[in-house]
Amino acid sequence: MVRIEGGTFVLGGEDPDANPADREGPPRTVHLSSFHIDPICVTNAAFASFVKHSGYVTEAEREGWSYVFHLLLPRQAENHILNASVPQTPWWLPVAGANWRQPAGPGSQAPPNHPVVQVSWNDAVAYADWAGKRLPTEAQWEAAARGGLERARYPWGNTLLVNGAHRCNIWQGRFPDLNTADDGHLGTAPVKTFRPNGYGLYQMSGNVWEWCADHWGTGSLPAESTDPTGPQEGTARVTRGGSFLCHESYCNRYRVAARTFNTPESSSQNTGFRCVS
């Protein structure tokens, strides 16, 4: 794990393309105690070790299905689509048998060095407890993602491409039907595909959303706080970092300040996690 020295961090943003309802800003001063964070997302190999030694069964496995992005559905899984689609997001297909072992449904693979997906917040907490760790607070996650840069849009600076080169795994093309995969990846990428940030942390933007410990909230925030943990209650949990499905026209949330949420029992093909201690 990477040690992040305690200190003062400026978190939040005022990006003109942010969704006001997400309450990314205004920028605020946060004092954090020192902590350690995983340099990479928890991989399929690491999660498999957890399952082998604990016997844990994920929520998607218990439910018998999960959502799969339509362009990633293998041919073998086409007859496993259920009648539980979401009208607002028709690109998500409910597929029987989709879980962390076969994240796109029957016939798909979970490469050992890719981030584990199809894991709920509850699943992530179970893994963290087993490993003697925990999920990061939202403030810890963002402070670590910034890599020592203050008020930069991305973990590496303010420009999405660096000398024409991609620095994260997001969508290129026309969402949701055409992904040119200019960054080399249609789905998830191995956890060390792109260069790390200034703290040595890999892929804090793009690839997969990452669960945080905090309840989701959009209320007013203090201008200064110490080791904040978010609202004390709520029905959803924070996710940060964006994913391989993020595109400027649809989900421009691969910026460091960006944030969103999901319910703690939900799992999907583009959400994983990393731990702190």
Side-chain angles (χ1 to χ4, degrees), residues 83-203:
N83 293 319
S85 60
V86 181
Q88 297 86 350
T89 54
W91 45 85
W92 283 117
L93 303 176
V95 177
N99 55 57
W100 75 272
R101 301 176 190 272
Q102 41 190 21
S108 63
Q109 302 295 320
N113 63 341
H114 282 232
V116 65
V117 294
Q118 298 291 16
V119 286
S120 68
W121 185 88
N122 296 317
D123 298 333
V125 168
Y127 173 94
D129 288 345
W130 172 81
K133 304 178 183 181
R134 55 184 174 79
L135 295 183
T137 66
E138 187 174 10
Q140 288 175 326
W141 188 96
E142 184 175 332
R146 291 188 174 277
L149 301 178
E150 188 172 305
R151 303 198 185 195
R153 286 173 63 84
Y154 309 108
W156 56 86
N158 288 311
T159 305
L160 183 59
L161 300 181
V162 179
N163 296 323
H166 291 277
R167 296 295 298 270
C168 64
N169 176 19
I170 57 176
W171 186 281
Q172 294 91 43
R174 185 185 65 251
F175 187 87
D177 300 314
L178 175 64
N179 187 351
T180 60
D182 291 343
D183 58 22
H185 304 280
L186 184 62
T188 59
V191 292
K192 288 188 175 182
T193 297
F194 300 94
R195 292 174 58 183
N197 71 4
Y199 291 152
L201 309 180
Y202 290 85
Q203 291 173 212

Side-chain angles (χ1 to χ4, degrees), residues 42 45-56 123-134 275:
V42 173
F47 199 81
S49 180
F50 156 61
V51 169
K52 177 181 178 181
H53 289 93
S54 68
Y56 185 81
D123 298 333
V125 168
Y127 173 94
D129 288 345
W130 172 81
K133 304 178 183 181
R134 55 184 174 79
C275 298

Side-chain angles (χ1 to χ4, degrees), residues 2 9 12 36 40 42 45-46 53 78 104 110 138 143-144 148 152-153 170 176 191 198 207 239 247 264 267:
V2 173
F9 303 86
H36 292 80
I40 59 175
V42 173
H53 289 93
E78 290 179 354
E138 187 174 10
R153 286 173 63 84
I170 57 176
V191 292
N207 213 26
T239 58
H247 184 263
S267 54

Side-chain angles (χ1 to χ4, degrees), residues 55-65 98-99 120 122-123 265:
Y56 185 81
V57 180
T58 63
E59 293 196 275
E61 289 174 288
R62 295 197 295 271
E63 289 293 328
W65 69 278
N99 55 57
S120 68
N122 296 317
D123 298 333
E265 71 278 4

